[in-house]
Amino acid sequence: MNIIINGEKIEAKQGKSILQVAREKGIDIPALCNLIDEKPIGSCGLCVVKIRKGSKTYYSRACTTKIDEGMEIETHSPEIEDTRKTILEMIAEEHKEIKGEAKELFLKYGIKLKGDNKKAMPKLAENPFISFNPEACISCFRCVQACSLIKENHVLVRENRGMNTQIVAGINEALKDAGCAFCGACVDACPTGALMDLTARVEKETKKITSICPYCGVGCAIDYYVSGEEIIYAKGSPNGVNKGDDCIKGRYGWQFVHSEERLKKPLIKKNGKFEEVTWDEALNYVASRLKEIKEKYGADSIAGLSSAKCTNEENYLFQKFMRIVVGTNNVDHCARLCHASTVVGLFKVFGSGAMTNSLEDLDKDAELYFVIGSNTTHAHPVIGTMIKRSVKGRGAKLIVADPRDIELAEYSDLHLRHRPGTDVSLINGMMNVIISHGLEDREFIENRTEGYEKLRDVVKKYTPEYVEKITSVPKEDIIKAAVLYATHKSAIIYAMGITQHTSGTANVASLANLALLTGNVGKRGTGVNPLRGQNNVQGAGDMGALPNVLPGYAKLGTRRAREIEKTWGGKIPEKEGLTVVEIMHAASKGMIKGMYIMGENPAVSDPDQKHVIQALKNLEFLVVQDLFMSETAQLADVILPAASSLEKEGTFTNTERRVQLLHRVLEPVGDAKPDWWIIQEIAKRMGADWNYKSPKDIFEEIRKVVPQYRGITYERIDKFGLQWPCPDENHESTKILHDDIFPTPNGLAKFSPYEYEPPAEEPDEEYPFVLTTGRTYEHFHTGTLTRKIEGFNELIPEAFVEIHTEDAEKLGVKDGDCIEVESRRGKIRVKAKIAGIKKGVVFIPFHFAESAANILTNDALDPEAKIPELKVAAVRLKKCQ
């Protein structure tokens, strides 16, 4: 389409607005209300332009007017500029405290702010993170657009008209009461400074440093704005996988780094009390005690817990320390508690235990999302927003399988409220329907898989009627879910609601079978996509912080293991080590004598908490390396203060296998040191000849040892990460796995069907409720970081138990009442929260040490992945006396 702008002939695409085309050509037309080009509201009038079309001449808003063949457009004539100046003068009459983008316009047009109208303060200002100045608000409604159209949160709304127009939250509520996600999108959208991050209200000169968020596995890039050694504010970077999005933790969760409770000096427990010591004294003592225990009891009497909160370089060095310096494979990390069954289950079927697809192709190309065992908007909010936008914006379908009425259920075409622990039955039932309806992808099955006949035989008995009896999902819904999944380009998204079961491996393998059956693997918008819980769960596994595999998932005692030995210059034990739960059992029996824990808090995170604490107390020596005096650190003999991820360099690998580079934002607090430095110093004192100068040195060794990382360098990922496998430096990285061949001996995926097995512990007359656990949106994991932030504690100050209305009525319980929840292992007291949850099921978040859900949970293990059953425990409830 041909048009003329300011005398210049321009060819542009039909359907675009004048404003879009002009800005693409570098013509700056002012507009204060325009946020989303495709959905303009045209409220400010500043983008007015003059248009000639044939014999007609008229004025129109550039943001709302689509280009048309033969248009002649003037954007900055004297009369147009006068009009813009008049509009700004009218705004100036009513406002006096405007900042940001709008302030620049007033300066450009030489207009002074002179308004003195006092506006009433709406309740939305009552919150811990975002300030609101109604006297700077020009009613442009960009914040409303950001909240509703970009983030799909629908919290901010416009109220009244004309001079009485104002922005309110909900029905004029405080933001926290109206369901605000505190993602900061409204702040970023505001052109006048009416909405600002509270920490940014003090104007200081800042520098921007981009690094990676230290929370969930999405791996968002965050721009941190720093003054001296203080972070002033932060927001999602447009140059990351998140494309500028963030959540409450990415936006405000950095505040833990400035907590007064940070550990700043090494501590040794003397006569029952911790005393500050020098680094030399602490390191010498740790090395000597570990050597003593090794010499007295053998290397296998020592165990180490690495951390998904630490970098790839640090996890690599930690497991190398345990294997080469200590001489044991007793090394594990928190993936054992969240995604061990993912690695085992996906490896059995696909030959690789990682997320198959990329966030980018899931966002653009998935026709249907099957979300099972994932409260995505709470645990992985940026991906949750992506799904909501896809459903609302481009009409993607959504199936949710969850016993709770999670937020995504509101957006779903179908919500399957199955009983916790019955996932295998549900998935087998869907496969039964797909086969009986002839919806399987026969060509894909024939060319790219093996074992189909066995799968067909196993799922034959899982008719919708049979599965309904097990899961309590209506047979009609099972049929509908199966048909929807099989007839669309479908992506499976799951998290710990699938993995944390004694049937965790079976659950994961069953999902992989479902994808194979329909050919939903190896293509854009499809796949089996586990959402990793912490920022570097994927990377810690890649680095071999596991008791049964080495870096790059090399098996013990193999040719690859011998090759790694040559690089390391030492002998790697061939005996498989103990997992997290097995380590605790061995410690309680006196078989493990010493333990080195880096960045983990098993006293809160592990199942059957009383047993874990007893096990830790039974050790002869415990060293803990952390940021805070955690519940585990309190039991230690030595505490080593570590630098946070914002205070060091290195790499994280996110949930989509993307290796990303950290940039140091601040110097370490006090005498805290990076974890890699601490590990190396202990290793040196135990006889190792290590001399790494930086994380980059360690990463160069990783590239030699881990084939999947070989083509990744710090230089290549300085601005944006690369996805493994990346075999050489000319490789562009792998966005989608298994597009042509599976990494198995014959290149075929293998159907691995499972029969349904009930959970290890089911409800009975004595313990009639099923307890399931998980995250809240506002807190993270054991709460070690988020509970150091006042604003997060204001939003969710304590634990609670979600309970169905009818169950609450039978117990005589009202919202907010104290409830005692008891399992066969212990009991806690929490407040009741009447919520949308399946009858007979209750939910407790696991962030709160004082009301620890893991006092109640069961440490029964999946026989293959050895992950504990954190998602199903039998409990009883009663009102507190």
Side-chain angles (χ1 to χ4, degrees):
M1 186 169 286
N2 296 295
I3 61 173
I4 296 173
I5 301 182
N6 298 334
E8 180 185 351
K9 289 183 179 180
I10 292 172
E11 188 175 335
K13 287 184 179 180
Q14 185 175 0
K16 290 193 173 186
S17 70
I18 293 172
L19 185 64
Q20 282 178 279
V21 175
R23 287 183 169 175
E24 287 171 3
K25 296 298 179 181
I27 302 167
D28 183 22
I29 299 176
L32 288 176
C33 66
N34 191 71
L35 185 66
I36 305 169
D37 286 332
E38 293 75 19
K39 296 182 180 179
I41 60 173
S43 65
C44 74
L46 284 171
C47 67
V48 63
V49 294
K50 186 176 182 179
I51 303 169
R52 295 186 187 88
K53 180 75 182 338
S55 60
K56 292 177 62 178
T57 300
Y58 58 98
Y59 292 87
S60 185
R61 288 173 167 83
C63 65
T64 59
T65 307
K66 301 292 185 184
I67 61 169
D68 195 10
E69 182 71 34
M71 272 186 173
E72 295 183 36
I73 301 158
E74 285 187 60
T75 65
H76 287 79
S77 67
E79 56 189 326
I80 291 172
E81 289 291 86
D82 283 346
T83 300
R84 289 175 182 150
K85 187 172 182 179
T86 300
I87 293 170
L88 291 170
E89 285 173 341
M90 291 169 65
I91 295 173
E93 290 290 336
E94 299 178 10
H95 302 84
K96 63 176 180 179
E97 296 185 25
I98 287 175
K99 300 179 180 179
E101 179 185 339
K103 184 177 180 180
E104 292 175 9
L105 274 179
F106 284 105
L107 291 172
K108 177 182 176 181
Y109 284 89
I111 298 168
K112 292 184 178 180
L113 299 168
K114 46 195 173 185
D116 58 1
N117 284 353
K118 294 290 182 182
K119 292 189 177 182
M121 182 72 74
K123 288 188 176 180
L124 71 83
E126 299 170 15
N127 74 87
F129 296 117
I130 296 173
S131 69
F132 179 62
N133 177 7
E135 294 176 25
C137 178
I138 62 172
S139 300
C140 67
F141 310 124
R142 275 167 61 162
C143 59
V144 177
Q145 293 178 79
C147 186
S148 297
L149 301 179
I150 293 178
K151 302 295 284 191
E152 287 290 342
N153 287 330
H154 306 283
V155 172
L156 296 180
V157 295
R158 57 191 289 185
E159 188 179 76
N160 302 325
R161 288 180 173 275
M163 294 290 292
N164 296 319
T165 300
Q166 63 175 348
I167 306 300
V168 299
I171 49 174
N172 199 11
E173 302 168 271
L175 279 175
K176 62 179 181 179
D177 299 324
C180 178
F182 293 101
C183 62
C186 58
V187 174
D188 293 341
C190 181
T192 67
L195 289 162
M196 294 184 70
D197 293 324
L198 276 171
T199 55
R201 291 185 68 186
V202 178
E203 294 188 9
K204 292 184 177 180
E205 186 175 339
T206 62
K207 60 180 178 180
K208 182 180 77 174
I209 303 173
T210 303
S211 196
I212 306 302
C213 179
Y215 287 99
C216 80
V218 178
C220 294
I222 305 293
D223 290 335
Y224 296 94
Y225 292 82
V226 181
S227 177
E229 286 301 312
E230 180 186 11
I231 298 173
I232 304 300
Y233 65 99
K235 60 182 180 179
S237 173
N239 301 315
V241 295
N242 48 316
K243 299 177 183 176
D245 271 357
D246 54 21
C247 71
I248 188 172
K249 290 184 276 283
R251 185 93 185 192
Y252 305 110
W254 52 266
Q255 295 177 26
F256 75 86
V257 80
H258 296 310
S259 170
E260 290 299 317
E261 297 181 46
R262 286 286 303 278
L263 294 169
K264 300 179 179 69
K265 299 277 186 181
L267 303 170
I268 293 180
K269 190 175 284 181
K270 299 178 180 180
N271 300 317
K273 293 184 179 180
F274 285 112
E275 294 183 12
E276 291 185 358
V277 297
T278 65
W279 269 108
D280 272 341
E281 183 178 348
L283 294 167
N284 289 337
Y285 183 60
V286 170
S288 65
R289 289 293 287 124
L290 290 177
K291 283 193 289 187
E292 287 172 13
I293 292 169
K294 179 180 176 180
E295 290 167 3
K296 186 174 181 180
Y297 303 107
D300 285 337
S301 67
I302 299 172
L305 295 184
S306 199
S307 177
K309 302 297 294 176
C310 294
T311 65
N312 287 322
E313 294 78 3
E314 290 159 345
N315 278 285
Y316 174 83
L317 217 57
F318 189 93
Q319 61 82 36
K320 181 180 177 182
F321 168 80
M322 292 302 299
R323 290 183 160 115
I324 295 296
V325 181
V326 176
T328 181
N329 284 314
N330 291 338
V331 58
D332 208 355
H333 73 287
C334 64
R336 183 67 49 195
L337 305 176
C338 60
H339 275 286
S341 43
T342 284
V343 176
V344 177
L346 291 184
F347 192 88
K348 287 188 75 166
V349 181
F350 296 155
S352 171
M355 181 172 172
T356 60
N357 286 57
S358 302
L359 298 180
E360 180 266 338
D361 75 82
L362 294 180
D363 183 16
K364 293 180 179 178
D365 295 322
E367 296 173 356
L368 180 144
Y369 301 100
F370 179 24
V371 178
I372 180 168
S374 167
N375 187 0
T376 321
T377 57
H378 280 200
H380 302 87
V382 167
I383 296 177
T385 298
M386 176 196 82
I387 294 171
K388 291 193 295 182
R389 277 199 295 250
S390 294
V391 169
K392 289 292 187 180
R394 58 180 181 83
K397 301 291 184 183
L398 174 61
I399 301 171
V400 170
D402 200 292
R404 301 171 64 207
D405 291 346
I406 61 172
E407 184 184 359
L408 281 185
E410 300 173 22
Y411 292 77
S412 69
D413 296 272
L414 188 61
H415 181 193
L416 309 175
R417 295 177 179 84
H418 62 308
R419 289 175 51 232
T422 62
D423 304 276
V424 167
S425 178
L426 176 64
I427 300 161
N428 280 353
M430 291 176 64
M431 290 191 283
N432 174 288
V433 172
I434 289 167
I435 293 170
S436 66
H437 283 59
L439 297 174
E440 70 273 26
D441 187 333
R442 293 175 185 175
E443 182 181 352
F444 185 90
I445 292 168
E446 183 177 343
N447 295 329
R448 301 208 53 201
T449 74
E450 61 181 345
Y452 169 69
E453 292 76 13
K454 183 179 179 182
L455 174 91
R456 183 189 59 203
D457 292 344
V458 168
V459 304
K460 188 174 183 179
K461 75 177 182 183
Y462 290 89
T463 63
E465 294 80 8
Y466 178 66
V467 172
E468 179 176 355
K469 292 176 182 177
I470 297 171
T471 63
S472 78
V473 176
K475 62 182 180 180
E476 296 81 8
D477 287 349
I478 296 167
I479 295 169
K480 184 178 179 182
V483 172
L484 274 172
Y485 178 83
T487 55
H488 288 84
K489 189 189 290 185
S490 299
I492 294 169
I493 292 174
Y494 73 88
M496 289 178 279
I498 280 289
T499 59
Q500 290 180 329
H501 294 272
T502 49
S503 60
T505 299
N507 292 344
V508 172
S510 297
L511 288 173
N513 291 336
L514 176 63
L516 288 182
L517 184 64
T518 55
N520 275 308
V521 184
K523 307 166 187 172
R524 288 180 63 87
T526 67
V528 182
N529 302 286
L531 303 184
R532 302 293 184 156
Q534 298 203 44
N535 53 326
N536 202 34
V537 171
Q538 181 65 58
D542 296 344
M543 295 302 106
L546 298 165
N548 61 326
V549 293
L550 299 169
Y553 303 97
K555 293 182 179 179
L556 298 167
T558 61
R559 179 179 57 81
R560 276 193 61 199
R562 301 287 80 83
E563 292 171 355
I564 293 172
E565 283 181 340
K566 292 178 182 177
T567 301
W568 287 357
K571 178 70 176 172
I572 299 172
E574 294 189 8
K575 177 186 173 185
E576 192 171 303
L578 301 177
T579 66
V580 169
V581 176
E582 291 172 331
I583 287 168
M584 295 305 169
H585 283 296
S588 68
K589 294 174 183 176
M591 297 164 61
I592 295 293
K593 303 291 186 180
M595 196 180 301
Y596 180 7
I597 299 177
M598 176 179 74
E600 296 283 316
N601 190 11
V604 177
S605 65
D606 290 17
D608 194 358
Q609 187 194 69
K610 287 184 178 179
H611 178 263
V612 172
I613 292 173
Q614 179 267 325
L616 293 172
K617 287 181 175 179
N618 200 42
L619 294 167
E620 288 188 14
F621 181 67
L622 173 61
V623 55
V624 172
Q625 196 165 299
D626 214 327
L627 310 184
F628 293 97
M629 180 65 77
S630 68
E631 289 74 17
T632 301
Q634 292 170 27
L635 304 174
D637 298 289
V638 180
I639 300 174
L640 305 175
S644 74
S645 64
L646 298 175
E647 298 163 333
K648 59 188 176 186
E649 297 170 340
T651 57
F652 289 152
T653 305
N654 79 342
T655 196
E656 57 167 5
R657 300 169 282 105
R658 189 177 301 279
V659 184
Q660 303 190 99
L661 187 64
L662 303 181
H663 295 98
R664 188 172 63 236
V665 179
L666 304 168
E667 291 297 323
V669 65
D671 285 342
K673 300 289 186 183
D675 292 279
W676 69 268
W677 182 91
I678 301 171
I679 299 163
Q680 175 167 264
E681 289 301 312
I682 296 171
K684 285 180 177 179
R685 286 164 171 79
M686 293 180 69
D689 184 22
W690 291 3
N691 191 32
Y692 302 104
K693 300 296 185 184
S694 68
K696 186 177 180 180
D697 282 354
I698 303 168
F699 193 81
E700 286 303 306
E701 183 173 303
I702 291 169
R703 294 178 61 215
K704 297 175 184 176
V705 171
V706 180
Q708 299 93 323
Y709 283 55
R710 195 153 289 157
I712 301 172
T713 67
Y714 270 34
E715 290 74 22
R716 291 190 73 192
I717 61 174
D718 184 53
K719 300 299 182 184
F720 194 59
L722 296 172
Q723 290 168 277
W724 68 255
C726 183
D728 60 67
E729 291 186 42
N730 294 318
H731 195 276
E732 292 183 0
S733 85
T734 306
K735 293 183 177 181
I736 299 173
L737 296 178
H738 322 315
D739 59 343
D740 181 44
I741 192 170
F742 289 92
T744 59
N746 62 5
L748 301 176
K750 184 178 182 180
F751 282 105
S752 301
Y754 282 81
E755 296 281 1
Y756 164 69
E757 295 287 344
E761 187 173 79
E762 293 197 282
D764 53 26
E765 288 187 10
E766 190 177 4
Y767 296 92
F769 290 91
V770 174
L771 166 69
T772 190
T773 65
R775 284 183 188 166
T776 64
Y777 173 71
E778 295 81 1
H779 284 295
F780 186 77
H781 201 45
T782 60
T784 304
L785 304 184
T786 54
R787 295 197 72 200
K788 304 302 180 187
I789 302 171
E790 186 177 334
F792 286 67
N793 291 326
E794 181 182 329
L795 297 176
I796 303 287
E798 59 188 337
F800 55 85
V801 56
E802 284 187 1
I803 183 171
H804 189 276
T805 303
E806 291 183 30
D807 291 330
E809 287 175 356
K810 288 179 181 178
L811 292 167
V813 169
K814 296 179 180 178
D815 205 59
D817 284 351
C818 175
I819 290 186
E820 185 176 275
V821 186
E822 183 177 8
S823 75
R824 290 178 173 86
R825 290 154 294 280
K827 57 187 176 182
I828 62 174
R829 290 189 167 198
V830 288
K831 282 188 176 180
K833 183 177 181 180
I834 313 300
I837 191 169
K838 190 174 183 66
K839 191 176 176 182
V841 178
V842 296
F843 168 85
I844 299 176
F846 49 53
H847 315 295
F848 302 90
E850 66 276 16
S851 303
N854 282 327
I855 287 175
L856 310 170
T857 51
N858 191 356
D859 67 356
L861 300 180
D862 175 306
E864 297 178 83
K866 298 182 180 179
I867 190 171
E869 189 148 64
L870 292 161
K871 284 294 184 280
V872 179
V875 297
R876 59 190 178 202
L877 281 65
K878 68 177 182 180
K879 194 172 180 179
C880 300
Q881 301 298 316

